[in-house]
Amino acid sequence: MPILRNPCYAARVFLFIIAAANFFNSQKYNCMSTLLTVGSVAFDAIETPFGKIDKIVGGAATYASLSASYFTKPINIVSVVGDDFPADMIAEFNKRGINTEGLQIKQGEKSFFWSGKYHADMNTRDTLDTQLNVLLNFDPIIPEGMATCEFLLLGNLLPQVQMTVLERMAKRPKLVVMDTMNFWIDTQYDALMKMIPLTDVLSINDEEARLLSKEYSLRKAAKIIMAMGPKTLIIKKGEHGALLFNGNNVFFAPALPLEEVFDPTGAGDTFAGGFIGYLAKTGDISFDNMKRAIIFGSAMASFCVEKFGPERLLSLTDKEITARVNDFYDLVEFDLIDALNI
Amino acid sequence: MPILRNPCYAARVFLFIIAAANFFNSQKYNCMSTLLTVGSVAFDAIETPFGKIDKIVGGAATYASLSASYFTKPINIVSVVGDDFPADMIAEFNKRGINTEGLQIKQGEKSFFWSGKYHADMNTRDTLDTQLNVLLNFDPIIPEGMATCEFLLLGNLLPQVQMTVLERMAKRPKLVVMDTMNFWIDTQYDALMKMIPLTDVLSINDEEARLLSKEYSLRKAAKIIMAMGPKTLIIKKGEHGALLFNGNNVFFAPALPLEEVFDPTGAGDTFAGGFIGYLAKTGDISFDNMKRAIIFGSAMASFCVEKFGPERLLSLTDKEITARVNDFYDLVEFDLIDALNI
């Protein structure tokens, strides 16, 4: 029944091309919502099989806010750096609509520093060095204008700090997305168990989901974790894509099979930034829209890994993002009607 | 633009329900093509975290032909067993339209036996015992009526045996799908390199693809392997789905996130059987149809792992298969038109 299939497909391609040109900077999203990102802004030293860089700007809030800035403005950052942090990077943030009023600069102190080396498979890495520096006593002060943000992304931080941020919001945000890591599951379990129930969307990787739920099957793990409180759970599987759970609904976003993965640093935060940025732009937190948001997040992450650090996130165009999202569509698109040949 | 989206979606659901009832046993596939499966028919002993079974019928041709039998009939098997192989299993094959005329029964000899134990993650396993028995000197004799089959599935066997089968076909089949394994890549490289170029579709797992291409990136590996000859390459990633490559086209079939994986034995062969069975039923070997075929193969594999050995493949209904394929559709379905909110 090509009469049915082709108009749908042709309409998609046609409308998509027209729409793409207008999507990113359109004014029609009067629902465009304010977004607050809390997380590290830091320096990284990275070694991959493709090269080595001794000092590059990194941190969860850096990747997430750069990623989100392609969807919504302003992005607000709450974080802390030392006086070693480059002023031109702050200027770059501002140029991109990232408000750094909540970025504390501690005189005489050094920024958070992480150093890691990736194995040949690019999926596993060794942490060579972690210097908390300014993050050690981070007090997340939220400028007054940011305390009413509707979308809140809590990057991977001490659960108590995440809790403090939430308590300091003037009103409960419309959507709280949080990340955490195995280190906090192991060492801050009780604090984490107070924070997780306050979250709408928990975004963790497969290893963390298994650790948190004590269950190997990700489907079972998801049930256990959602029973802890979050209505929605994202399980990131790196090069194997990501799963989105909500009640009995499950959606799978593939990862694009790339020829080269140059540097995976920040991919998870870039993913989270694209996810919440898309939701903030559209103002729609339905499951169907989260499916789209996770595809946009995956597209942003697929760019992130193409160059060292956040470099690729500084040179993207809306057209490239649209084309990449279309690649994701094509990657999994198949026609069931034709499958049954009616 | 809901005016566009909804009719497509509603039409899909409606037509799918109607079509599903007629698909499997419809007579409209006058192109329904003959299928020959060559591979082991054997006994397995399996231990998983969920239980243990000392002797169960297994083998690549068993799984593949049972799986394919839901799509096309007859399925022809060429294989060999000892006189220990149960007559009632052969009767079961025949009942399902699997022609066992080419299944040699060697008097006074024993069937191929494999014993394995799965680790807790169900993705890795140790082989505890392999007794080649009748497979040691397997001469694949092809009954005359089977030598003109249009679809040929060469299960994982000694490359020289696969080659002999192909040479003994009366005419070059329309489609040759072959499987192999790391053991043959390591020990029979030259023979394998003669066989692979004669294949239309090579179906291997990610580890084997990396071993064969000496390249970690699956996208690059695919290019290298297709340059060896096969126009189409399937890379199976177990619980992470499967990739289908053809020229510059790539398609990703997810694996369904299951609550329980009871026993993964035979999942790859079940996948291959569903894939080629669907192609043989529809007679269409275009890339678009292979995308559908790989989804049907994945659906069959998702059933296979639900019970020990091939047990689940003996109790399936067409309705269950249709519903499962629909689950795959829903798992990855998202709407791009709505994503751009036009």
Side-chain angles (χ1 to χ4, degrees), chain A residues 8 16 29 121 216-217 219-220 223 251-252 257 259-260 278 291-292 331 333 335 339-341, chain B residues 4 8 16 29 121 216-217 219-220 223 251-252 257 259-260 278 291-292 331 333 335 339-341:
Chain A
C8 289
F16 191 71
Y29 291 95
D121 67 5
Y216 189 84
S217 153
R219 190 111 192 196
K220 283 189 181 175
K223 278 191 185 174
F251 175 69
F252 176 73
E259 291 219 3
E260 298 280 19
Y278 180 84
K291 284 163 46 165
R292 291 169 209 128
L331 182 66
E333 186 271 334
D335 200 311
L340 301 175
N341 203 31
Chain B
L4 226 150
C8 289
F16 191 72
Y29 291 94
D121 67 6
Y216 189 84
S217 154
R219 191 109 193 199
K220 283 189 181 175
K223 278 191 185 172
F251 175 69
F252 175 74
E259 291 220 2
E260 298 280 19
Y278 181 83
K291 282 161 51 164
R292 292 170 207 125
L331 182 66
E333 187 271 335
D335 201 310
L340 301 175
N341 203 31

Side-chain angles (χ1 to χ4, degrees), chain A residues 23 40 90 116-117 156 165 191 196 223 252 273 299 304-305 312 327:
Chain A
F23 174 65
S40 56
I90 294 176
K117 181 178 176 174
N156 171 32
V165 172
I196 285 177
K223 278 191 185 174
F252 176 73
C304 175
V305 304
R312 189 68 178 94
D327 288 345

Side-chain angles (χ1 to χ4, degrees), chain A residues 4 13 37 51 87 98 100 109-110 136 154 172 178 183 185 246-247 273 290 339 341:
Chain A
L4 227 149
V13 173
T37 304
I98 300 168
T100 53
E109 294 189 47
K110 288 171 78 178
L136 194 61
L154 295 168
R172 212 287 179 177
M178 78 169 266
F183 183 72
I185 300 172
N246 175 294
M290 283 195 188
N341 203 31

Side-chain angles (χ1 to χ4, degrees), chain B residues 100-223:
Chain B
T100 52
E101 201 191 328
L103 179 65
Q104 304 166 38
I105 302 173
K106 296 280 183 190
Q107 297 303 317
E109 293 190 47
K110 289 171 79 178
S111 301
F112 174 59
F113 174 75
W114 175 83
S115 168
K117 182 178 176 175
Y118 289 86
H119 299 181
D121 67 6
M122 293 298 240
N123 269 332
T124 49
R125 68 185 186 191
D126 294 325
T127 290
L128 303 179
D129 194 7
T130 305
Q131 299 171 19
L132 284 178
N133 299 329
V134 289
L135 262 193
L136 194 60
N137 297 306
F138 175 41
D139 180 30
I141 296 161
I142 302 172
E144 202 180 314
M146 298 183 187
T148 53
C149 280
E150 288 186 284
F151 286 77
L152 173 60
L153 177 60
L154 294 169
N156 172 31
L157 287 168
L158 193 72
Q160 186 53 55
V161 173
Q162 295 177 318
M163 180 75 86
T164 303
V165 171
L166 199 54
E167 286 167 357
R168 288 178 180 172
M169 297 299 285
K171 56 169 190 169
R172 207 312 179 154
K174 182 173 175 178
L175 192 80
V176 178
V177 179
M178 80 169 265
D179 189 10
T180 191
M181 71 186 293
N182 46 9
F183 183 71
W184 305 129
I185 300 171
D186 284 334
T187 64
Q188 298 285 328
Y189 188 79
D190 292 345
L192 197 60
M193 283 302 122
K194 284 183 191 148
M195 184 57 220
I196 286 177
L198 304 175
T199 302
D200 299 304
V201 182
L202 179 64
S203 173
I204 51 181
N205 70 28
D206 45 358
E207 186 196 340
E208 290 152 1
R210 286 172 173 141
L211 184 65
L212 190 59
S213 64
K214 299 182 178 65
E215 173 61 51
Y216 189 84
S217 154
L218 293 181
R219 191 109 193 199
K220 283 189 181 175
K223 278 191 185 172

Side-chain angles (χ1 to χ4, degrees), chain B residues 290-310:
Chain B
M290 283 195 188
K291 282 161 51 164
R292 292 170 207 125
I294 208 171
I295 293 288
F296 275 84
S298 301
M300 297 306 289
S302 77
F303 284 117
C304 175
V305 303
E306 289 179 353
K307 293 195 175 180
F308 261 122

